[in-house]
Structures are given as C-alpha cells and as structure tokens.
Amino acid sequence: MSDNSFNRIRIDCAKLENNYRVIKDFAGSRAPVMAMVKAEAYGHGMIRAAEAFGRAGCDLFGVAELREGVSLRKAGVRGEIYVTIGFDAADAELFFQHQLTPVIYSHAAACALSTKATALGREIGVHVKVDTGMGRLGLHPEDLPGFFESLSNLDGVKIAGIMSHFAESDDPDSLSTRQAMQTFSATCRELKSNYSGICHIANSGGVLNFPDAYYDMVRAGIALYGYHPAGGNRNVGQQGQGLLPAMTFHSRILQVKKVPAGIGISYGHTYKTQSPMRIATLPVGYEDGYSRLLSNRGQVLIRGQRAQVCGRICMNMCMVDVTHIDGAAPGDEVILLGCQGKETISADDIGAAIGSISYEVLCLLGNNNQKEYIE
Ligand SMILES: *Cc1c(COP(=O)(O)O)cnc(C)c1O
C-alpha cells in the first residue's frame, strides 16, 4: 500500500532562493532582511523554506511561536531566530537553550526571562513590541518610557530592539502607514538616545511600497513566497519585480462521465446541467484546503485549458466541467494552483474567488497536503 495521496503540493526551492535575493536587492544595502517563516513558511514547509533562504544568504528568521523556533534550531537552522507573539513564562528557559530572540510586550515576560538569565548567569537581548496603529499586539507608544524604565531594574535582560507592524502597507497611498512611521520614528528616537538597539517595522508591503520604512531591518513574508501583499496578481510570473510563486498544487482526474442535460451535480444539486456535458471527478476537497467557498466558482487546469468547478466542493472530491477539453481522461494531470500550457491559476486568483487573500490560500493548500520539494 502506498502512503501517497493523489494530491501533491510542489515547492520550487530555487524560486524561494530567487525571491529572497530579489527582496535583498530591493532593500539594497540599507537593511538586512528577516525571512518570516511562521505558519510552516506560509504553507511551504518551515524548515525546507528556511534552508532555501539560508542558501540565498539569509541569517535572520521570524516565527510566531516558541515551538517553531525550537523546531528550526533542532533542524540545524543557524542565524538569529525571532519569536514574535510571546511565550509562556514556564518556557523562558528555551530561549537560552536554543539561542532564540524573544519579542516581549509585558513586564511578566521580561521578569520570566530575567529570572532564567540570572539563574544561568547569562544575558538576553529582547525586542519590545509597540502598537503604532495595527490594534493588535504591543505596548502603546506612550507606555514605552515607563516600560523601558522598569526593564532597567531587571538583571540579565537588555533591550536589543523595538519593533512594530503595519496595518495597511500593502496600499502605497495609505495615510495610516505614514502615521505609524511617524509614531515609530518618535518612539525609536527614545531608544537610540538611551539604549543601543535596532528598530524594525516593515513587512512585505513596507519593503515594496515604503522605502522610508526600512529602519534597521525589514521582515518579509508573502513576497518571499512570490506574491505581492496587495494581491491582484502583481509581481507574478515575469512581470513586476521578479518574484516567483514557489508553490504549485497538482492532482489528477479520477473519472470522466458523460451526463445528459437537466441533472444535478454534487451535494444539494446547486449545479444543473443545461446540456449534455462531460464531468470529471477530482480527488480534491475542502479537507485538502480547497475551500468549500470554491463551489461553482473555482477553476482548474487540464490539458492546458481551464475547467470550471461544478456544484459543491465535497470533503475529498469535487467535479469540473471538461466538456470542451478533448480527450480529458482519468489519470490526466490537474493543476489547481500554478501554470499549465499558457494558463495560470495563482493564489491571488483563488483568494479573490473565496473573498480571501493569497496568504490564506497558501496556508490552506500547503499545510493540508503532502509536499514535494524541487531543489
Ligand atoms: C507575518 C509577519 C510579517 C510579514 O508580513 P508579510 O505581509 O507576509 O510580509 C512581518 N512581521 C511580523 C511581525 C509578522 O508576523
């Protein structure tokens, strides 16, 4: 018996390396580039993606949770690894064991690190998260001086940086990004005058749209996976700045059936054939991250042509119209994300079809299917 699924995510590591170099060139000599590899590197596989970026020269990585940082270290990834969304006080020791960099936004976290640092006779550099308008994680800028003051009384903890995050940097005209930069600059001035440390705020949108936002480091995510944060297929393929989508999703046809006019397809019969048709059944469903919102909306590629999803996406299967595709037969390769012949389906296209964005599509497909790497 084979462990193999009919479906396969393929990751092109050369494209990940290319994208890191493109962003590195883009940020120029002005700022080092941190590769955000949280969420299994947006579905691309955290360790393999970090290794690819490493080959392209990356030595700064960002994850959300501590367990992700530990996995990277256990896999032998070197360089600095930032844990960006916090940790349990009980796990503070892991930062020392695995040389991870904590991002903090509470006194309790600083205390937990200080206790461990003192016990181990070591010192740890922390980055403080400030909320400059995202309305998510971080201290209010006005609370920062007091927070810094309280840290100065803690042994073994030193401020290595201030970081924040943009809410709207995918839009080059966004006023809130300008405002966040002003707030951040003012906050950083405080750091630079009293402490030594770096400042960083730019995500992919910041890198691509706001050169003034680079400060001492940039943190790129979606761009490294080949997509523009604003969607709309910007930068895809040969256009734009040469970012290349690294993920493709492959399946095959299970069965092709001739059906007469007037019959219903799939659960709820939301699709009714208007004329005699040929319908192909595919082994892909919402369990595989192919959202049920793609019911009657999704498109796939078969023999270089587009085929429309008919009826609801099931848990493990869906149906597509192959009436117009000569010779479509069981076993034919089906591309659900990627190129075939002259046609392309991007994560932006799928995102637009389900009212979402490439980020979610990459996570859904990448994290729910077997992966294969092309080195
Ligand atoms: C995910 C993340 C990024 C990268 O965002 P993109 O829009 O994917 O470039 C940057 N910084 C932090 C803190 C993040 O969590």
Side-chain angles (χ1 to χ4, degrees), residues 34 36 38 42 63-64 84-85 129 136 163-165 169 201-205 219-223 225 229 359:
M34 180 191 295
M36 294 306 298
K38 64 190 183 219
Y42 297 39
V63 294
T84 60
I85 71 168
K129 184 82 184 263
R136 197 171 67 177
M163 68 180 279
S164 192
H165 192 63
S169 62
I201 187 168
N203 48 8
S204 296
R219 306 186 306 264
I222 197 71
Y225 305 103
Y359 297 66

Side-chain angles (χ1 to χ4, degrees), residues 24 36 131 139 145 170 175 197 206 216 218 226-227 245 262 280 284 317 353:
K24 186 84 193 151
M36 294 306 298
D131 186 348
L139 295 156
D170 52 319
L175 277 179
D216 304 311
V218 299
Y227 287 92
V284 181
M317 286 182 271

